[in-house]
Amino acid sequence: MAADKKTENGSLYEWVQAVVCSVLAAVLLFTFGVRIVGVSGDSMRNTLQNGDMLLVLNNLFCSAYHAGDIVIAAKPSFESGEPIVKRVVATEGQTVDIDFDAGEVYVDGTALNEPYIREATHLMEGTQFPLTVPEGCIFIMGDNRNDSRDSRDPALGVVDTRYVIGRAVFLLLPGETAELNQREWSRAGKLK
C-alpha cells in the first residue's frame, strides 16, 4: 500500500512538472519568439483582410527586414495607438520615388514589380519624393495603396526598426473577406 501511494505521488509530481514546463515554454515562446497579431482595417487588402490573425516572428529572431516583408510596427505617436501591418518597400540607404500620375513606385530608380497591390499608387499623402531611407529605418506601405496611411504620410514617415514588433510569417486564421462576408479558408497559411 505504501508503494502504491509512492507511485501515485511520483506520477502526480511528474504530471505537474510536465504541465508547469509546458506553460513556461509557451510563455517564453510567446514572449520572446512569436506572437499573434490581428489585422485591423483594409490597408493591406487584398493580401490581408480585416480580422485576419497572423503569426509574427518577434524581433529577437528577425532583426533584418527586406523589401516585400510584411511587418507589424507600433509606436506611441501612431494615430490609433494600435500596431499597424504594412509591407516593407525600401530599407536603409535606398531611395524611394513615386510617380503618382502613372501610379508607379521606384526604389533606387527601378520600378517595383508589385503583383500583390490592390491598385496603382495615386494617393499623395504629403511626403516629398524622392526620399532616401535613413539608417536603421524602413519605408512601409499598405497593399491597398489608395486606402492606406503609411510612410507617404509625414505624420508616420519612415519607421525606425526599433518600433517594428516583427515580421508576419503565417496567416493563422483568415478574417471575413469584404466582398464575400465570409472566411476564405483557402487563404490560411498564405502570405503573398
Side-chain angles (χ1 to χ4, degrees):
M1 190 181 244
D4 288 342
K5 192 82 161 161
K6 193 173 188 177
T7 304
E8 277 182 34
N9 287 341
S11 295
L12 180 62
Y13 173 76
E14 289 171 1
W15 184 82
V16 169
Q17 182 181 21
V19 168
V20 168
C21 287
S22 297
V23 168
L24 182 59
V27 167
L28 289 173
L29 177 67
F30 282 96
T31 300
F32 298 110
V34 297
R35 89 177 36 179
I36 297 172
V37 174
V39 175
S40 178
D42 293 326
S43 73
M44 286 296 290
R45 282 181 59 206
N46 287 338
T47 305
L48 299 172
Q49 303 291 328
N50 185 42
D52 283 354
M53 299 301 287
L54 303 172
L55 183 66
V56 176
L57 192 59
N58 286 350
N59 269 344
L60 183 63
F61 298 107
C62 182
S63 58
Y65 301 100
H66 307 283
D69 287 349
I70 296 174
V71 297
I72 293 75
K75 73 181 197 182
S77 64
F78 288 175
E79 186 176 288
S80 68
E82 295 292 317
I84 59 173
V85 179
K86 305 290 179 190
R87 188 177 298 271
V88 176
V89 171
T91 59
E92 64 180 57
Q94 293 184 307
T95 300
V96 179
D97 200 1
I98 302 175
D99 180 343
F100 292 102
D101 293 327
E104 293 284 329
V105 177
Y106 295 86
V107 174
D108 293 335
T110 303
L112 297 181
N113 177 18
E114 301 179 296
Y116 44 78
I117 64 172
R118 184 172 168 89
E119 55 196 6
T121 309
H122 297 293
L123 178 66
M124 290 185 261
E125 294 190 27
T127 294
Q128 297 297 312
F129 292 97
L131 175 141
T132 300
V133 180
E135 184 177 343
C137 295
I138 54 177
F139 187 92
I140 57 177
M141 294 175 76
D143 289 356
N144 189 2
R145 296 289 167 81
N146 298 312
D147 190 16
S148 174
R149 289 199 60 233
D150 49 41
S151 289
R152 293 170 290 167
D153 185 340
L156 176 63
V158 294
V159 175
D160 190 309
T161 56
R162 291 176 291 188
Y163 293 118
V164 177
I165 294 170
R167 180 174 51 88
V169 293
F170 193 80
L171 175 59
L172 287 174
L173 176 68
E176 291 186 357
T177 58
E179 291 83 13
L180 302 174
N181 289 329
Q182 64 184 18
R183 296 181 195 277
E184 286 184 276
W185 291 103
S186 62
R187 294 177 46 243
K190 300 175 185 173
L191 288 177
K192 294 180 192 174

